[in-house]
Amino acid sequence: MPDTDATAISADLRAEIVETAVTSRASVRAFLPTAVPKETIARILEAASYAPSGSNMQPWKVRVVTGAVKDRLVEAVSAEHDAGRMQERDFKYYPTPFPEPYLTRRRATGWGLYGALKIEKGDKEAMHRQHGRNFLFFDAPVGLIFTIDNSLEMGSWLDYGTFLQNIMVMARGLGLATCPQAAWCSFHSTVKEVLEIPDDEIVVCGMALGHADTSEIVNDYRPVREPVDGFTQFLGFDG
Ligand SMILES: Cc1cc2nc3c(=O)[nH]c(=O)nc-3n(C[C@H](O)[C@H](O)[C@H](O)COP(=O)(O)O)c2cc1C
């Protein structure tokens, strides 16, 4: 059960703990091989299941993979990626054409990441290799594959985001790291084949979970955020 006793710890400490969990979460792209116990993953998912969803539909379905099953998935999808056999996505993640200001932000994030890795612009082979690390779950010991029933509507996809964020923040609270990964959607058929996922489910994304390898420079990169005033209008506060 979630702790609903607001007096158990001071309000300031509570705010600080939650704020730190949220703001210190970052996408980690290099993990240590240290195993994560099944009980810990179950605890994370149980906490995440308190996510709100329209009519409490709870549209999430999760496959947690490790060991031989993860190896099979990694091998099958990496082979497809290396052969350049991307599969048309079940849903469109990004708009075409890519409008501003999102294009600028996307480029800044991409180049920031490749810059941290000293990958030069135009070095397609190095970029392909780095992208391919997605399909190793960045060496994390645990991978998660998220799916949703294809009969559900956009509202349930909105719900899904709250669930994913709960997982990432709860993992952070336990000293673990994550990387959400839409990259797996480009190989959804292979993912579904290996994990025997029924045809009426759509692969929403994957996620790497484990202990961050803090010695890897890729994990130092922090994309910047817009200031609150850049995306918010405060209305009616001045009387
Ligand atoms: C749904 C979703 C899918 C993502 N897919 C990928 C991915 O496939 N590979 C990757 O390296 N990062 C992926 N990211 C991570 C974003 O690049 C990252 O969240 C963003 O740059 C902000 O950085 P931060 O998470 O470190 O704060 C994804 C993030 C989200 C929310």
Side-chain angles (χ1 to χ4, degrees):
M1 283 290 288
D3 170 23
T4 51
D5 181 6
T7 60
I9 55 172
S10 79
D12 279 355
L13 183 58
R14 181 179 292 265
E16 203 179 310
I17 291 169
V18 174
E19 191 172 27
T20 302
V22 171
T23 58
S24 70
R25 181 219 54 81
S27 295
V28 159
R29 297 182 178 89
F31 289 82
L32 298 170
T34 319
V36 181
K38 189 179 168 191
E39 298 70 38
T40 304
I41 305 164
R43 182 177 172 188
I44 291 170
L45 292 171
E46 213 245 317
S49 74
Y50 284 85
S53 59
S55 308
N56 197 28
M57 282 170 66
Q58 305 166 72
W60 32 84
K61 290 178 194 277
V62 190
R63 271 80 173 180
V64 185
V65 298
T66 194
V69 178
K70 180 176 77 97
D71 292 347
R72 278 210 305 280
L73 180 64
V74 158
E75 198 179 318
V77 173
S78 296
E80 291 305 293
H81 177 249
D82 284 343
R85 285 193 289 266
M86 306 255 288
Q87 296 153 12
E88 195 181 332
R89 289 174 178 232
D90 279 331
F91 69 96
K92 218 167 165 217
Y93 197 119
Y94 295 116
T96 36
F98 221 108
E100 291 293 356
Y102 311 105
L103 180 62
T104 299
R105 290 179 194 163
R106 180 186 209 204
R107 285 189 173 144
T109 303
W111 292 124
L113 189 63
Y114 288 133
L117 289 163
K118 308 254 181 303
I119 296 174
E120 308 264 334
K121 280 188 189 184
D123 187 348
K124 290 203 169 128
E125 209 179 301
M127 288 197 284
H128 177 85
R129 228 181 3 256
Q130 175 57 28
H131 186 67
R133 289 198 33 78
N134 271 289
F135 311 115
L136 308 176
F137 289 109
F138 301 106
D139 299 325
V142 177
L144 298 102
I145 297 291
F146 300 95
T147 66
I148 190 169
D149 283 340
N150 66 8
S151 56
L152 298 188
E153 297 290 354
M154 204 190 279
S156 294
W157 287 74
L158 181 62
D159 300 338
Y160 222 116
T162 70
F163 176 68
L164 295 172
Q165 174 72 350
N166 272 2
I167 293 175
M168 294 186 277
V169 171
M170 184 62 196
R172 190 69 205 105
L174 289 165
L176 295 166
T178 52
C179 185
Q181 301 176 277
W184 291 94
C185 302
S186 297
F187 297 95
H188 57 92
S189 301
T190 312
V191 171
K192 286 168 80 167
E193 197 181 310
V194 174
L195 301 184
E196 297 179 13
I197 295 173
D199 271 352
D200 60 1
E201 290 179 38
I202 296 177
V203 175
V204 173
C205 67
M207 188 182 290
L209 171 72
H211 294 84
D213 184 346
T214 51
S215 71
E216 286 288 339
I217 203 146
V218 68
N219 288 337
D220 291 340
Y221 176 61
R222 293 282 178 276
V224 295
R225 297 300 200 261
E226 289 296 302
V228 172
D229 282 349
F231 59 84
T232 311
Q233 295 177 47
F234 290 99
L235 306 170
F237 284 84
D238 301 324

